[in-house]
Amino acid sequence: MAYLDAASTEPLHPAARDALLAAIDAGWADPARLYGTARRAQMLLERARAEVAELIGARPDEVSFTSSGTQAVHLGVLGTLAGRRRAGNRLVASAVEHSSVLHAGALHERDGGEVEIVGVSRTGRVDAGAFAEAVARPGTALACLQTANHEVGTLQPVEEAARACREAGVPLLVDAAQSAGRLPIPEGWSVLTASAHKWGGPAGVGVLAVRKGVRWRSPLPEDERERRRVPGFENVPAIVAAAAALRARWEEAEAEGRRLSALVDRIRAEVPRLVPDVEVVGDPVLRLPHVVTFSCLYVEGEALLTELDKAGFAVSSGSSCTASTLRPSHVLEAMGVLTHGNVRVSLPRGVSEDDIDRFLAVLPDIVRRIRSSLGVH
Amino acid sequence: MWRRRTGGDTRRSSGTARAAAQAEPAGPVEPPQQPALTIDALGRKCPIPIIMLAERINQVAMGGVVAVLADDPAAFTDVPAWCRLKSHEHVGSYELPQGGWSIHVRRNY
């Protein structure tokens, strides 16, 4: 099977596997205790923290490990809103943020807060001017912007947003889940979140970095772990593996990113040539190196995924009938592009060119068959 | 019975909702042109409403309007997107009292 769903989760990096196996033996004890094995676990944990901090451009004491990227976002959003209560109660976010940001915003609204959503262009890029205006309105406690969109790959104007936030004195939470380990972390964040399994680390490790001087108060009950930011016993072996994967992925990022980006360019050019009535969505240039998304008119997304699976391809879709809810993807909706017949292809490290050739070879006939089953010829 | 919807959806939060409320006239809005053909796609999931539209748009004269009645939330985005891809005109989407929309499309060619 050709795995083309790296944006959902990247397969474990070999460097992470080696580190994980070693740390399961060496780092199992409670890092908060004072005997030898515990000190060893603590040393591994702090070494991983220093490594991740260096790679994301933070100080080690600004970095906490969470149990997922989603938890990092929940704690980042709600904790900063709680810390900034005196400054205001408005959260500003783009319309295409990950659901973890929007769901944290919905909870904030249920608690009496305000949420302002900033729209995006047809390519999914947030309007930096509108974002700056929204941030500058009095009472803004926090702004959130992703580095890159998880469904269509479009990069966001994070540095412009950071400038606007700095001028307005508003902290900016940057969700780097899709780009960490692949692209440099943009400057200017106040709170940064990421997820290890997206860069080839194990599942169950998220990163929450809070810049020194940013007011943050835990929205959860008191707990002493992770500088009082994240409750619960740290998964030291997984954290060690996450740091090893981030280091290894980052060292390969430039060369592998260039290779994957060329394959994405090929898919972007070939799919509309081979399949009639297809729209490739997302920014063609300002994009992640490994993600491409297109929508096929007159095709049900679920049928397309099922047929591609039978042909040996694992891909994902933002179409409503394939999601857990009946709503179409909020990202595609906000962009105003076709929400049905949607396919996201995201290339993992080391994907072979043959797999892409084969994908382009089978796709036209699969789309034709599904269309003809619906009476479209 | 007509209330114009220019974009977005009910999930949108306060800021956008407020901006939209200011931009839109209060109360019912009549569509500018009565449809020459109405396609009932209520209860049908996307892409079926789009397929029905594509099959039947040539039944109206050039410049005529087709109304697609649909209640799959995907249709609210997908019919205008189809118009853009196929160079027809999305005239407007009007909320139906029973839920869903009447989505008006003008045949351009």
Side-chain angles (χ1 to χ4, degrees):
Chain A
M1 187 200 62
Y3 181 76
L4 305 179
D5 194 20
S8 290
T9 192
E10 173 81 16
L12 194 67
H13 195 288
R17 189 187 154 80
D18 293 344
L20 182 62
L21 292 175
I24 281 172
D25 291 331
W28 55 270
D30 183 346
R33 300 292 168 255
L34 295 176
Y35 37 81
T37 44
R39 284 202 305 272
R40 175 135 180 84
Q42 200 216 355
M43 193 198 69
L44 289 171
L45 175 62
E46 294 313 316
R47 200 191 287 161
R49 192 187 316 280
E51 184 134 44
V52 169
E54 187 198 326
L55 290 162
I56 64 172
R59 293 169 27 155
D61 63 357
E62 293 172 333
V63 174
S64 302
F65 293 108
T66 64
S67 65
S68 66
T70 292
Q71 192 195 29
V73 166
H74 289 170
L75 289 172
V77 171
L78 299 175
T80 312
L81 287 170
R84 293 261 302 160
R85 197 159 286 163
R86 281 192 198 158
N89 76 345
R90 193 164 72 248
L91 170 71
V92 172
S94 91
V96 297
E97 293 303 306
H98 186 260
S99 58
S100 57
V101 172
L102 300 178
H103 287 156
L107 181 61
H108 177 59
E109 257 184 337
R110 284 200 295 280
D111 290 343
E114 196 189 334
V115 177
E116 179 159 353
I117 299 294
V118 181
V120 296
S121 68
R122 187 82 71 211
T123 63
R125 194 165 158 94
V126 73
D127 179 338
F131 197 86
E133 268 175 43
V135 165
R137 275 192 264 284
T140 304
L142 173 66
C144 297
L145 187 60
Q146 59 194 190
T147 52
N149 185 261
H150 50 293
E151 285 189 34
V152 299
T154 300
L155 301 182
Q156 301 296 355
V158 173
E159 281 170 7
E160 285 166 83
R163 242 188 331 271
C165 284
R166 200 166 46 242
E167 278 165 23
V170 170
L172 176 66
L173 181 149
V174 172
D175 171 13
Q178 287 300 333
S179 70
R182 301 171 191 276
L183 296 173
I185 302 285
E187 304 271 329
W189 53 268
S190 317
V191 179
L192 186 84
T193 59
S195 174
H197 74 95
K198 305 280 192 198
W199 70 58
V205 180
V207 174
L208 170 66
V210 181
R211 276 273 186 247
K212 207 168 164 48
V214 173
R215 294 183 70 90
W216 187 91
R217 201 168 71 225
S218 176
L220 296 179
E222 181 94 350
D223 193 272
E224 290 183 350
R225 301 277 167 174
E226 291 299 291
R227 285 152 180 83
R228 298 175 182 266
R229 291 209 177 106
V230 188
F233 188 88
E234 298 91 343
N235 185 346
V236 175
I239 290 168
V240 167
L246 184 60
R247 165 74 66 196
R249 195 67 187 77
W250 180 239
E251 279 166 4
E252 305 163 347
E254 208 182 323
E256 183 63 355
R258 205 176 311 121
R259 192 181 76 88
L260 297 182
S261 189
L263 291 174
V264 162
D265 276 337
R266 201 160 143 237
I267 297 171
R268 291 188 71 99
E270 288 295 295
V271 167
R273 204 178 61 78
L274 297 168
V275 184
D277 289 323
V278 165
E279 184 179 31
V280 180
V281 298
D283 197 293
V285 179
L286 299 172
R287 60 166 176 79
L288 288 168
H290 65 300
V291 176
V292 48
T293 299
F294 54 86
S295 294
C296 306
L297 262 179
Y298 318 129
V299 169
E300 209 189 330
E302 190 178 356
L304 199 45
L305 295 202
T306 307
E307 289 305 311
L308 283 168
D309 178 42
K310 278 191 213 156
F313 294 94
V315 296
S316 159
S317 169
S319 295
S320 52
C321 46
T322 65
S324 49
T325 63
L326 284 174
R327 294 207 61 85
S329 141
H330 70 274
V331 173
L332 301 176
E333 246 179 14
M335 292 165 64
V337 299
L338 283 182
T339 68
H340 72 261
N342 181 260
V343 174
R344 178 186 68 187
V345 175
S346 50
L347 309 180
R349 168 186 174 276
V351 70
S352 81
E353 206 173 335
D354 289 353
D355 284 342
I356 306 307
D357 289 341
R358 219 160 48 80
F359 177 78
L360 292 170
V362 303
L363 182 70
D365 194 51
I366 287 177
V367 172
R368 188 163 44 242
R369 272 188 285 127
I370 296 171
R371 281 179 178 158
S372 80
S373 75
L374 291 170
V376 180
H377 300 287
Chain B
M1 70 178 271
W2 304 103
R3 195 154 74 79
R4 181 159 189 158
R5 288 277 312 259
T6 49
D9 58 56
T10 50
R11 188 183 40 75
R12 286 277 163 85
S13 296
S14 52
T16 314
R18 201 180 48 229
Q22 284 164 358
E24 285 177 31
V29 174
E30 287 293 326
Q33 184 181 345
Q34 284 308 309
L37 172 70
T38 297
I39 297 171
D40 183 357
L42 292 167
R44 309 297 297 272
K45 295 278 168 217
C46 262
I48 302 298
I50 310 278
I51 292 174
M52 294 167 84
L53 171 62
E55 269 173 1
R56 299 188 61 193
I57 189 157
N58 288 345
Q59 293 175 6
V60 303
M62 216 72 79
V65 169
V66 180
V68 182
L69 310 183
D71 50 11
D72 179 2
F76 186 79
T77 304
D78 286 11
V79 174
W82 180 85
C83 291
R84 186 169 49 76
L85 294 174
K86 290 290 173 187
S87 305
H88 290 296
E89 185 193 341
H90 172 233
V91 179
S93 299
Y94 309 91
E95 268 177 23
L96 297 171
Q98 73 271 32
W101 305 272
S102 176
I103 309 172
H104 288 201
V105 175
R106 179 174 289 115
R107 181 185 168 193
N108 273 350
Y109 58 89

